[in-house]
Amino acid sequence: MGNVFRELGNGGRIFKNEGAFAPDYIPQEIMEREKEVKELAFALRPISEKRRPQSIVVYGAPGTGKTCTVKHVLRELSDYTSRCFIVYLNCWNYPSRFSILSKIAEKVGIFVPRRGVAVDEVWAELVGVLKQTEKVPVIVLDEADVVAGDEQGIFYDLIRIKENEGIDVEVIAITNRGEMLAQLDTRIRSSLLQSFMEFKRYTPAELKEIVRGRAKLGLFPGAYSEEVIGVCSGFGAKNGGDARIALNLLWLAGRNAEKEGRNEIIVDDVETVKGGVLKSLKKEKIESLGELDRKIIKIIQEGGEGLKSGEIYGEIGKNERTVRLHLGKLESMGLIESVFSGKGGGRTRVFKIRR
Ligand SMILES: Nc1ncnc2c1ncn2[C@@H]1O[C@H](COP(=O)(O)OP(=O)(O)OP(=O)(O)O)[C@@H](O)[C@H]1O
Ligand SMILES: [Mg+2]
């Protein structure tokens, strides 16, 4: 019998660099966002000049390039000046005041045990170290809408560092729901999150440029056609002007072509994998979740037509505040949805899985 790998042969002539399609890949060149890149750079420039920088909220729909644009500009900033250090936090992983402060503290070399320390102790130690350094912390709170309820105390902690201690701090909050952060206390808005920057959904033409650019980086020249680029960007355009969807479609189409032993992606490949793209992005999201989040999803799933918040708290058996925090996070991820039911004072939220 022949060897199954020998019969399969080499990986084919589709992907020149498949890594260019990985979720955390940041391209050297951010396309169609020149204005936003400049605006961010303008807000950050004071850091290199020992002046006070302006904090920013970046908001917009999924896949509009918020994360990659911010990361790109910060990479350039670190390249340009040594007067800053960057703390990037995805609030899905750091949803609480304590975890965010601890992460910043760790970044400046403070050891923070998981338990047995109060937020204020971490804060005080952090202030002590920041006072000693010339460097400006640039704190990126990605998916910042996950920080809800009492956990928003983190914003006051940062204000105190800035105002009471006179330490320069740059905060960049990234969110899908700009209106959420706009509702914050005026003190937070006037002191910490002064300017708002919207990332609009990409137009079909912009998506085409982005997909074409990525194809050049990741695929062999003969492995795709303009038509394939058009279908992929069209699908992203139809699904919310979302570059992630368009790029994932091209990636999966490439894999499909490879599987079928062709050297070129054809429109049929794209059509074949279309249905799977949205599902696989959702699956990826769920896989990124922790145990408690998955448990909550499972309970809601089993609840079918909708579960009251109280029923969820009961089943989980953790304190209500924690569960509420996680429900907010899962909702902002688009995995579950909630409506209010009942009237007047007895109104309660009912949760179900978002299809
Ligand atoms: N202007 C662009 N040029 C090149 N690639 C882009 C551009 N915009 C988005 N992308 C790519 O599209 C994908 C999604 O972008 P990104 O993660 O920045 O979106 P986002 O706005 O942060 O979405 P979400 O709100 O879901 O977090 C990434 O792979 C990113 O590299
Ligand atoms: Mg993002």
Side-chain angles (χ1 to χ4, degrees):
M1 265 196 10
N3 179 296
V4 62
F5 291 99
R6 218 162 277 134
E7 275 161 21
L8 262 179
N10 283 335
R13 307 292 301 161
I14 301 280
F15 292 106
K16 185 170 72 180
N17 170 20
E18 197 173 355
F21 293 96
D24 53 355
Y25 178 81
I26 308 286
Q28 276 302 325
E29 189 187 355
I30 302 293
M31 312 176 97
E32 308 291 340
R33 288 292 188 214
E34 289 83 3
K35 188 171 79 41
E36 289 78 4
V37 167
K38 273 223 178 85
E39 207 174 318
L40 279 165
F42 186 76
L44 296 167
R45 185 175 58 186
I47 292 176
S48 68
E49 301 168 339
K50 298 200 173 191
R51 290 189 293 136
R52 184 157 264 204
Q54 217 187 12
S55 288
I56 316 159
V57 176
V58 169
Y59 70 99
T64 52
K66 300 178 297 298
T67 299
C68 72
T69 304
V70 168
K71 283 189 167 172
H72 168 78
V73 172
L74 293 179
R75 192 168 57 191
E76 303 253 295
L77 179 71
S78 317
D79 203 38
Y80 180 68
T81 176
S82 55
R83 278 208 77 236
C84 66
F85 65 93
I86 289 154
V87 190
Y88 172 88
L89 295 141
N90 188 320
C91 299
W92 291 351
N93 305 321
Y94 299 89
S96 70
R97 186 180 161 209
F98 181 77
S99 64
I100 294 171
L101 270 185
S102 303
K103 179 73 186 179
I104 303 170
E106 272 169 27
K107 193 83 187 190
V108 296
I110 299 168
F111 170 74
V112 186
R114 297 248 162 264
R115 280 163 208 288
V117 215
V119 172
D120 284 335
E121 286 173 54
V122 179
W123 183 87
E125 203 170 342
L126 179 61
V127 166
V129 174
L130 289 180
K131 274 190 171 159
Q132 306 285 319
T133 165
E134 285 272 284
K135 291 188 193 240
V136 178
V138 177
I139 299 159
V140 185
L141 301 174
D142 203 347
E143 316 286 349
D145 41 321
V146 171
V147 183
D150 290 349
E151 308 303 334
Q152 288 180 346
I154 182 67
F155 294 119
Y156 296 98
D157 296 328
L158 295 171
I159 289 175
R160 279 197 291 157
I161 292 181
K162 244 176 110 166
E163 295 191 341
N164 301 9
E165 308 296 334
I167 298 167
D168 282 346
V169 179
E170 166 69 24
V171 178
I172 302 176
I174 307 178
T175 169
N176 290 139
R177 301 188 292 175
E179 77 288 353
M180 244 200 81
L181 292 175
Q183 280 164 8
L184 290 174
D185 181 342
T186 43
R187 207 171 136 229
I188 299 179
R189 292 203 49 189
S190 66
S191 173
L192 203 62
L193 304 173
Q194 297 123 329
S195 60
F196 279 63
M197 219 171 125
E198 182 180 8
F199 277 51
K200 294 234 160 61
R201 295 176 193 274
Y202 288 119
T203 64
E206 288 169 338
L207 283 174
K208 230 181 193 170
E209 279 300 308
I210 293 170
V211 175
R212 201 185 283 126
R214 196 64 61 94
K216 259 192 205 145
L217 293 170
L219 304 174
F220 285 110
Y224 61 98
S225 62
E226 248 326 274
E227 198 186 359
V228 163
I229 301 285
V231 180
C232 291
S233 42
F235 189 67
K238 224 174 63 194
N239 286 284
D242 185 324
R244 185 182 293 115
I245 291 176
L247 292 172
N248 263 274
L249 185 57
L250 181 60
W251 181 19
L252 293 187
R255 288 207 162 171
N256 195 66
E258 204 167 52
K259 199 172 77 192
E260 298 195 353
R262 265 182 280 101
N263 288 335
E264 190 185 353
I265 304 171
I266 57 175
V267 172
D268 272 352
D269 292 312
V270 184
E271 296 300 336
T272 306
V273 299
K274 250 184 192 172
V277 165
L278 302 178
K279 254 191 235 149
S280 80
L281 285 173
K282 193 169 219 175
K283 199 167 144 245
E284 213 171 83
K285 274 191 190 172
I286 292 177
E287 277 165 3
S288 76
L289 297 172
E291 199 182 326
L292 179 57
D293 293 313
R294 288 190 207 202
K295 199 166 158 195
I296 293 174
I297 296 241
K298 190 156 166 269
I299 288 172
I300 297 178
Q301 216 152 28
E302 285 162 1
E305 271 323 287
L307 269 188
K308 290 187 182 143
S309 34
E311 295 171 316
I312 301 171
Y313 303 147
E315 284 235 18
I316 294 285
K318 284 221 189 247
N319 79 52
E320 202 176 306
R321 212 178 101 207
T322 309
V323 180
R324 211 181 316 120
L325 192 72
H326 285 257
L327 286 169
K329 158 181 163 176
L330 294 170
E331 189 164 12
S332 73
M333 286 173 79
L335 295 172
I336 60 174
E337 58 193 357
S338 72
V339 289
F340 275 110
S341 84
K343 293 187 207 80
R347 275 158 59 96
T348 170
R349 271 185 185 279
V350 173
F351 289 88
K352 62 179 186 185
I353 298 292
R354 188 159 153 194
R355 306 261 158 230

